Amino acid sequence: MMLEIRDLYAAVEGSEILKGIDLAVDAGEVHAIMGPNGSGKSTLAQVLAGRELFEVTRGEVLFEGESLLDKSPEERAQLGIFLAFQYPVEIPGVQNLYFLRTAVNAQRRARGEDELDPASFMRLVREKARLVELDEKLLKRAVNDGFSGGEKKRNEILQMAVFEPKLCILDETDSGLDIDALRTVADGVNALRSPERAMIVVTHYQRLLDYIEPDRVHVLSGGRIVRSGGKELARELEKTGYGWIENRTAGAGS
Amino acid sequence: MSDSDTRHVEQLAQQDYKYGFVSDIEQELFSPGLNEDTVRAISAKKGEPEWMLEWRLRAFRHWRTMDEPHWPKAHYPPIDYQSLVYFAAPKSSEDRPKSLDEVDPELLAIYDKLGIPLKEQELLAGVAVDAVLDSVSVATTFREKLAELGIIFCSMSEAIHDHPDLVRRYLGSVVPYTDNFFATLNSAVFSDGSFVYVPKGVRCPMELSTYFRINAANTGQFERTLIVADEGAYVSYLEGCTAPMRDENQLHAAVVELVALDEATIKYSTVQNWYPGDAEGRGGIYNFVTKRGKVHRAAKISWTQVETGSAITWKYPSCILLGDDAVGEFYSVALTSRHQQADTGTKMIHIGRNTRSTIISKGISALSGQNTYRGLVKIARSAENARNFSQCDSMLIGDRCGAHTFPYIDVANPTAIVEHEATTSKIGEDQIFYCQQRGIPVEDAVSMIVNGFCKEVFQELPMEFAVEAQKLLGISLENSVG
Ligand SMILES: Nc1ncnc2c1ncn2[C@@H]1O[C@H](COP(=O)(O)OP(=O)(O)O)[C@@H](O)[C@H]1O
Ligand SMILES: [Mg+2]
């Protein structure tokens, strides 16, 4: 098993958001996590990536058999965990290309590999930029600074393509994209699908799953996975919406 | 900087710390205290002509009528001027550390990170050693090249002897000896400094740096620099050193005067990294500096400074835009960490018509650092169509530090356009996390984000300086994120 989440609880500023998540993801699989706004999808994604803002109060997470929770975010990244942010962060004055190279080389160093020489690095980035149809001009600009919503999302996928991580977590990469952009992003993601790689695709809508076909679909609500199924579950949700869940959890809670 | 610049710059940064230092000449000890005899003794010691002594004495008499200013936003115990020693910063061997073992280990760690060889570390830290590091030959070839172009680059003492007409004409012409408490003190007791003269129409082909000035290693606490660019001339001058210098003299009161005659350009870059004190803020340097330039018709003076050292910095490099179409620029990065206090900024005094000035100030505060920007933009009645653009950005790292901005604007001509922008931001937890998620460790992330914040200033620095400045910021920021 590549990733095992067991009975995971997490809180922010004293209020509990994740309330007992169990999830297992194997190499080669694509899991979709769906659910209404505020159900804890981004929290789960960020907890996996190690954001300290969220305090893990119970449970454990294993990545390739090793405990993740005591590792720093950069160590997790170096192990091959990648998070495409729902809201990519702007870093004014830091050139996108420079950022990418610093990151690639930091990861390589941590893995005991040689740094990429500038020429190989440029070749790699150009190739991946074409794959995600990211305008090369954006490479010379500051990281996400003044990028449109779609450009930011493409930039996330570019980074993912350059790093070639083992586990890709995509947090609402589809939101704010028009249909063409959605297709390119999905093509980029599909190009990275491989038997060695796992993906967790967080989305509010079924739309993205028309392009990235999941092996499993989980519905998150109130910090718990309330239903799991195959790809047909996504279709069903498209028809029924999330109302039934909210009613059900509200009922269960009271 | 473009990516290839960055690469080049990184290579440069990896080179050995390459400039040697002239070893100390055994220095005589003056007894502490300040009176007319001290001033006479300093002047006599240097074999100065009568006019120089007279000037010093006038300054000294004026200084006695003055009070130390307390308006800067800085707190420090009172300075006892009578307990200071006023000649050539003598250090008796007993007072100096006997070996590097006696030096603040953090200072040593910084030397290591900057890649400074052991012998030079000893010199920088003031260890009593006999090492002679010879930069004389480099300096000599350098000076010969300059001489061919008629450029004078020497110590102030030499200039007083060899170029008295130039010195008499320009010394005090920008910062008069009556100017302010610290400048007046400097005028009375200045030890040494640099003198530069670039003749009409000459473009100085290399960056002038004190590294190349013979016997510049110990100019003491009252440094005096005068740079004159004659009509149409160009010169770029680099002051300072990225290695933190340990100095027994706590008070430093330098004066720098720049004169850019018609259509001349002077670019003055500083990287200041005096010892900031230990983790509790003890032992750091007080750096009270007066820097000013007179900018004549269609001339330009550009100040760029990166201030990371000192316990207290009090410094306002300024431009008097005298001539029509004169241009003044000020680019500044000031970083305060631990218990450092910086009160810095600029004055742009517009007198000529169509004069233009630009101010870009980046203040970074970490831990308990206090950073104040204080700037004056003054547009005189005569300054038709003057323009100023100011941008003052502050970045806070942590909760205990502070940033303060005092922009004074004084406009006496209605045709002026004065724009001021100011921002204060906290280094974002989200930015740091984003970098970490990409595999970049926290300290590198902070350094990268801060360097990005300072980019507009760094790109004004000569490339070698820019690299060192970036490295320096990174080092100064270590352990600043808690
Ligand atoms: N930084 C934060 N501080 C306080 N509450 C937060 C924070 N981040 C998320 N939350 C709360 O946690 C809950 C889950 O949010 P989130 O994980 O972003 O949901 P989703 O991604 O499913 O829309 C919401 O109620 C949200 O308000
Ligand atoms: Mg979300």
Side-chain angles (χ1 to χ4, degrees):
Chain A
M1 206 45 70
M2 180 182 278
L3 179 75
E4 283 186 79
I5 305 174
R6 294 185 192 144
D7 196 29
L8 183 69
Y9 282 71
V12 63
E13 286 163 12
S15 69
E16 202 146 72
I17 295 169
L18 301 184
K19 301 170 187 166
I21 304 265
D22 289 283
L23 182 67
V25 180
D26 214 347
E29 293 180 347
V30 174
H31 288 234
I33 296 189
M34 304 184 70
N37 280 329
S39 57
K41 302 185 295 296
S42 293
T43 304
L44 175 61
Q46 306 233 0
V47 166
L48 292 177
R51 190 160 195 173
E52 278 171 29
L53 196 66
F54 301 98
E55 190 198 350
V56 173
T57 50
R58 215 167 109 184
E60 61 179 345
V61 179
L62 301 181
F63 181 72
E64 297 186 318
E66 261 188 83
S67 171
L68 258 197
L69 293 179
D70 50 2
K71 292 196 163 53
S72 69
E74 58 267 37
E75 285 169 326
R76 299 180 199 205
Q78 290 154 3
L79 286 175
I81 297 178
F82 179 87
L83 169 64
F85 283 57
Q86 181 173 6
Y87 305 107
V89 180
E90 302 186 358
I91 310 178
V94 177
Q95 198 195 47
N96 209 10
L97 208 50
Y98 177 79
F99 176 81
L100 258 178
R101 192 154 60 95
T102 306
V104 167
N105 285 333
Q107 294 188 21
R108 293 179 69 98
R109 267 199 312 274
R111 289 195 288 258
E113 298 163 11
D114 285 340
E115 295 192 0
L116 278 184
D117 64 83
S120 328
F121 170 75
M122 274 317 296
R123 258 197 311 278
L124 176 69
V125 172
R126 288 234 164 81
E127 177 203 321
K128 303 298 186 186
R130 265 195 304 277
L131 178 73
V132 301
E133 294 178 21
L134 181 109
D135 187 346
E136 280 198 24
K137 278 194 220 103
L138 296 179
L139 296 172
K140 302 273 176 172
R141 299 241 308 258
V143 181
N144 293 320
D145 193 13
F147 287 21
S148 71
E151 287 169 342
K152 285 182 181 171
K153 296 297 172 79
R154 278 177 214 254
N155 199 35
E156 294 293 284
I157 303 305
L158 169 72
Q159 295 179 33
M160 182 166 102
V162 168
F163 301 151
E164 303 189 324
K166 290 182 185 161
L167 172 65
C168 307
I169 306 167
L170 290 90
D171 191 0
E172 304 227 11
T173 302
D174 51 332
S175 62
L177 293 187
D178 63 33
I179 202 75
D180 288 339
L182 184 69
R183 191 168 279 150
T184 344
V185 165
D187 286 349
V189 172
N190 285 328
L192 283 169
R193 278 183 91 150
S194 93
E196 290 85 50
R197 186 169 287 131
M199 299 200 180
I200 297 176
V201 179
V202 172
T203 179
H204 187 72
Y205 304 104
Q206 145 73 21
R207 204 170 67 137
L208 181 66
L209 305 180
D210 290 340
Y211 300 96
I212 306 173
E213 199 171 289
D215 299 300
R216 300 283 295 162
V217 175
H218 312 275
V219 181
L220 195 63
S221 172
R224 284 192 197 95
I225 292 178
V226 293
R227 251 186 97 178
S228 295
K231 56 181 176 262
E232 66 291 342
L233 178 55
R235 299 253 154 69
E236 187 187 323
L237 284 171
E238 174 98 313
K239 289 199 209 87
T240 56
Y242 293 113
W244 61 274
I245 301 173
E246 269 145 29
N247 294 339
R248 200 174 84 166
T249 31
S254 53
Chain B
M1 277 186 294
S2 74
D3 194 53
S4 65
D5 285 347
T6 313
R7 237 179 356 257
H8 179 59
V9 150
E10 279 160 5
Q11 286 161 4
L12 282 171
Q14 279 150 16
Q15 290 170 0
D16 282 344
Y17 199 77
K18 55 182 177 269
Y19 307 108
F21 291 83
V22 183
S23 73
D24 280 320
I25 298 152
E26 209 35 65
Q27 283 156 353
E28 275 170 83
L29 205 103
F30 268 43
S31 45
L34 184 54
N35 53 43
E36 286 207 11
D37 289 340
T38 328
V39 177
R40 284 177 199 282
I42 291 169
S43 188
K45 194 84 225 155
K46 297 163 84 67
E48 287 178 354
E50 190 61 24
W51 59 266
M52 195 65 249
L53 172 63
E54 281 308 313
W55 197 76
R56 286 179 182 272
L57 287 172
R58 279 200 298 275
F60 177 70
R61 287 168 199 145
H62 189 77
W63 182 72
R64 282 204 303 203
T65 69
M66 301 171 97
D67 291 320
E68 190 181 336
H70 287 291
W71 50 264
K73 209 172 163 45
H75 303 280
Y76 55 92
I79 298 169
D80 179 1
Y81 293 91
Q82 292 304 333
S83 74
L84 298 179
V85 174
Y86 287 89
F87 188 71
K91 291 175 209 165
S92 72
S93 302
E94 290 97 88
D95 292 344
R96 298 161 65 162
K98 306 281 175 298
S99 73
L100 287 176
D101 296 341
E102 296 176 24
V103 174
D104 183 354
E106 283 197 39
L107 191 63
L108 297 179
I110 294 172
Y111 290 158
D112 282 338
K113 282 176 193 144
L114 286 167
I116 299 171
L118 273 184
K119 276 283 170 240
E120 291 188 22
Q121 295 192 7
E122 292 180 333
L123 281 175
L124 288 164
V127 174
V129 285
D130 306 315
V132 178
L133 283 143
D134 201 351
S135 63
V136 172
S137 57
V138 189
T140 310
T141 28
F142 188 75
R143 273 170 72 156
E144 279 166 5
K145 256 190 201 160
L146 294 176
E148 283 167 25
L149 295 163
I151 297 169
I152 303 167
F153 180 33
C154 62
S155 73
M156 188 58 95
S157 307
E158 285 173 275
I160 290 167
H161 287 280
D162 301 344
H163 309 283
D165 294 344
L166 284 171
V167 175
R168 289 186 79 165
R169 183 152 167 206
Y170 292 110
L171 186 75
S173 72
V174 186
V175 180
Y177 67 78
T178 51
D179 195 80
N180 72 73
F181 186 84
F182 297 113
T184 301
L185 178 62
N186 173 290
S187 302
V189 301
F190 71 84
S191 29
D192 211 333
S194 301
F195 175 79
V196 177
Y197 173 79
V198 186
K200 260 184 209 176
V202 171
R203 188 182 168 87
C204 183
M206 52 267 256
E207 318 273 355
L208 297 184
S209 153
T210 42
Y211 287 133
F212 293 113
R213 226 190 55 220
I214 296 173
N215 287 332
N218 200 349
T219 36
Q221 55 195 135
F222 299 106
E223 196 167 342
R224 182 109 202 171
T225 293
L226 172 60
I227 299 176
V228 181
D230 212 326
E231 292 171 17
Y234 169 90
V235 63
S236 168
Y237 185 89
L238 311 183
E239 175 203 299
C241 172
T242 46
M245 288 246 222
R246 182 87 212 214
D247 194 311
E248 301 308 313
N249 301 304
Q250 200 170 31
L251 172 67
H252 281 249
V255 172
V256 176
E257 294 179 277
L258 308 184
V259 180
L261 295 174
D262 293 358
E263 294 175 26
T265 298
I266 302 176
K267 205 170 154 45
Y268 191 104
S269 313
T270 308
V271 173
Q272 186 273 113
N273 189 23
W274 290 109
Y275 185 59
D278 63 16
E280 277 75 51
R282 285 180 304 242
I285 302 281
Y286 298 173
N287 193 27
F288 300 144
V289 184
T290 305
K291 289 184 164 177
R292 195 177 302 151
K294 250 187 199 169
V295 196
H296 292 266
R297 189 185 52 76
K300 173 172 162 181
I301 288 180
S302 182
W303 297 101
T304 306
Q305 60 173 29
V306 177
E307 301 280 326
T308 64
S310 293
I312 301 177
T313 301
W314 181 94
K315 182 174 172 187
Y316 315 90
S318 303
C319 295
I320 302 172
L321 304 169
L322 262 188
D324 294 350
D325 303 302
V327 176
E329 294 174 345
F330 174 74
Y331 300 96
S332 169
V333 167
L335 177 134
T336 53
S337 187
R338 298 189 163 173
H339 296 274
Q340 288 176 276
Q341 309 172 54
D343 191 309
T344 182
T346 184
K347 289 183 230 171
M348 293 289 174
I349 315 290
H350 292 250
I351 295 168
R353 286 172 298 177
N354 305 316
T355 45
R356 279 174 292 138
S357 62
T358 304
I359 298 171
I360 308 282
S361 160
K362 306 277 179 177
I364 302 141
S365 320
L367 299 177
S368 305
Q370 292 294 324
N371 215 317
T372 300
Y373 169 81
R374 190 185 300 278
L376 169 67
V377 176
K378 188 179 168 72
I379 314 276
R381 258 231 294 281
S382 53
E384 282 291 305
N385 297 317
R387 274 167 182 271
N388 161 268
F389 174 74
S390 304
Q391 186 184 324
C392 303
D393 298 324
S394 307
M395 180 178 265
L396 303 175
I397 305 174
D399 301 320
R400 281 177 290 147
C401 54
H404 318 273
T405 305
F406 300 104
Y408 303 99
I409 297 170
D410 177 358
V411 179
N413 184 309
T415 60
I417 300 177
V418 177
E419 291 172 83
H420 179 89
E421 289 176 7
T423 64
T424 299
S425 54
K426 265 195 122 159
I427 193 163
E429 181 269 339
D430 56 343
Q431 288 175 322
I432 295 175
F433 177 66
Y434 189 72
C435 295
Q436 285 181 285
Q437 209 303 304
R438 299 323 188 219
I440 303 169
V442 179
E443 285 183 350
D444 296 350
V446 170
S447 161
M448 182 158 78
I449 295 164
V450 170
N451 277 306
F453 173 71
C454 300
K455 190 177 179 199
E456 291 151 283
V457 174
F458 286 161
Q459 63 196 12
E460 295 297 323
L461 285 173
M463 202 198 304
E464 276 166 270
F465 242 35
V467 183
E468 298 199 0
Q470 289 188 15
K471 266 216 285 186
L472 192 59
L473 273 197
I475 292 168
S476 310
L477 282 167
E478 279 182 9
N479 308 317
S480 61
V481 186

